Amino acid sequence: MKEKLIQLNEQQFFIRLVPIVMLLLMAIGFNIATDGKFGDIRNLRLIVTQAVIIATVATGAVFIFGTGNVSIALGATTAVTAAIIAKIYLMTESVVIMVVAAIVVATLIMILTAILSTVLKVSVIFVSIVMMVMFLAILQTILGAGTITLPYAMTSALTNANFHYIAFVVYFILCAIIFHFTGVGRSIRFIGSNKICAKQSGIFLDKYLMIAFAIAGVGVGLAAIMTSIRTGTIGVGTASSLNMDVVLAIVLGGMSVFGGTRSYIYAGALGALTVTLLNNGLLMVGISPTILQLVRGIFFLTLIFAGQKRPDRLPDNEI
Amino acid sequence: MEVMKNVDYDQPLIQVNTLSKHFGVTIALNEVSFEVPKGVICGLVGENGSGKSTFASILAGIIEETKGEIYFEGKLWKPSNVLEAQKNGVAMIVQETGTLENVTVAENIFLGQEMMFSNGIFISRKKMFAAAQEILDELEIKSFKAGTPTHRLDMQDRKLVEIAKAMYWKPKVFIVDETTTALSHTGRELLYGLMKKLTENGTTVLFISHDLEELEEQCHIISVLRDGDFVGTLKRDEFDTERLKEMMIGRNLEGNYYHADDEGYSDEVVLRAEHITTLTDLLCFNVELHKGEVLGVGGLSDCGMHTLGKALFGAEKVLDGEVILGDGTVINNTKTAVEHKMAYMSKDRDRESLALNATVKENIVSIAHKANQVLGPIISFKKEAEHAQKQINDLSIKCASEKHLVSTLSGGNKQKIVFGKWIGVDSEILIMDCPTRGVDIGVKAAMYKLIYDMKKNGKSIVLISEELPELIGMSDRIIIMRDGEISGEIKRSEGLSEQKLINAML
């Protein structure tokens, strides 16, 4: 029995349970603290609706994180894509063109980030810092001093047709298949574990980085549509906290920011639910938005610290 | 068999009392008790996974024991970290690299001790460099200076930095863990001389090596561990290679594990390098590999043979010339190489050939995606598990399960995983760079058999090795390299001597 438990521990079984336990404990705690208001069906529905945008971006971002890279331009990419597709919709009044444009624009922007990183041999995080600043400037140029408003008829029709949920579920299933059941996912995770070994195993690092960004780009495109139809208005503040939410979601979902073979596609979705639940719950118990950011920060750093733990092993790797 | 359980000296320097160490389900040391006297070179041998490095790591303060205790100079020894152990007289140089890349040699030597050279709030680099240079001069290390950036040094020189670092502390116990495999002849001589000098001054050297000949030459006593248990200690006048092997393995091992017969190889050229030039080492280099041939490549460690292995596999940029397969395919990247059933095993196994934080299965199947597909690109978990399990069984990889993390396995088992990864996809051309580095004689014998079986099955092998007996024993043809060029080519023949190869090297 003891040996079995040790084996499960070695396979990180218990670590994988932590995010689920954490989510449940939070939910129970907030429900008690708010005298059951937190568990109200309307509130839970609100949490899920809010979480689905983060979950969509985070699910794609798992591919990028899996390679051991971190991008902080996901929120800015979502915002600039939302602004572009809003303009396109207002010109064409076609939902189909808007959806296709969202996916194409976001994917191209993401691939551009990957190309700059691979061609210039600059780490993804540094390229994404530049891209984030640039996209925010582009967003301001597109919007000028105002905002873009989409017709209520279109946004409500898509909302009522459950576009959010259908798009997320289809995207999540496809991502899960690619990440866990194909050579692409395996290769991406292997790159995150050891880049040199991956290269010497015939895995093209640049190619898989492009693929990871392209897949994440599809998620960003879908999230841009969800963001547009949820608020109906695109402004400079659109998706401003999305990037932090996504990174926090991935970490809260139980994935290491260092990527590698211990990466799981569900981390993004599970974490997105936890982040939204945390935001919602803390606000409901009366925590001020400033303290909320502090709590999120503490959570993030604690989990990054925990994620750095490596197995007890010898420096020369020999028993 | 009569084996002395403890060496007969008045006062042992180190006393080990029922010492145990567990790594998860793996028992690395199982209630081991023995003693090591003062002022001797004590060899520590055992198969991979026998517990040698674990014991050394506990003694050096790198890891903590699970239970039991060590007494050092009669007092309970429980250092909380490496620095504390070093300050109190136990220094260790480890099997894999223990230096930082982005700092100078001097900064590596005085890592964590920079305040010794402080001028108020500033560190005097001048003083630090002078002190480091003094140590290097004392050790007669001339191939680099105290101010040399460490990333410019090769594996051998980095080992010398570690030795210099250990020497600063004037240790009472100096642990050398599988270091000589990374050293050339000159480096080894330097280390042997140092070990002798240290013992004359009363220091005890704990010398871990898989090279029994080396141990028998250098040690005063040899202690043997097997599967985490202490087997016994032999004094110098009792040294006998066969007896040591039997103590290590617990059974008789055939004296000659190289292949004796000369079956030759086909005339068909499967891989050739045509006038290849690389950024470092190789200049207009030509070589041919035939079907069913084991081509040995030897030379001093900086002769370019390691670069050749990478260049043949497409892992090193070829600036001029081409590496071409028998069918005319040009190998200019690793992807093309793998797609054409080529395999490469790096000398730097932990850094380049394995993902240490991944499982045994994840490493073995990392290049076998196509082989395990069931429906288009969809991979079957079941097929993958069977694929990994087959290699675990065929190669007798010692692990709790396919989900065992590679980082916790011994060197020999890790190397078996590398073999399994390439054998599993039926590689036809295998480039092996020092495949038996740091593995014990039992695993070595198994690997030689494997290489010979592959040769018999028509596989072509480039065997890059720093061990001359291995080259002579395994190769159909040997090329010796010097300064990036072929300085000699020798065919397999009766009575081929190491001297002939050494003459070509120097």
Side-chain angles (χ1 to χ4, degrees), chain B residues 160-202:
Chain B
L160 297 180
V161 174
E162 285 181 54
I163 292 171
K165 188 175 171 179
M167 281 309 102
Y168 172 74
W169 298 98
K170 305 211 177 328
K172 293 172 190 168
V173 176
F174 180 44
I175 307 167
V176 182
D177 186 2
E178 271 300 329
T179 301
T180 48
T181 53
L183 297 178
S184 68
H185 180 71
T186 322
R188 285 184 189 209
E189 288 303 319
L190 191 148
L191 182 63
Y192 298 153
L194 177 68
M195 283 167 25
K196 283 207 177 85
K197 208 157 90 183
L198 286 171
T199 50
E200 282 162 14
N201 296 330

Side-chain angles (χ1 to χ4, degrees), chain A residues 219-232:
Chain A
V220 168
L222 294 173
I225 303 167
M226 294 175 193
T227 307
S228 307
I229 61 175
R230 185 163 161 256
T231 57

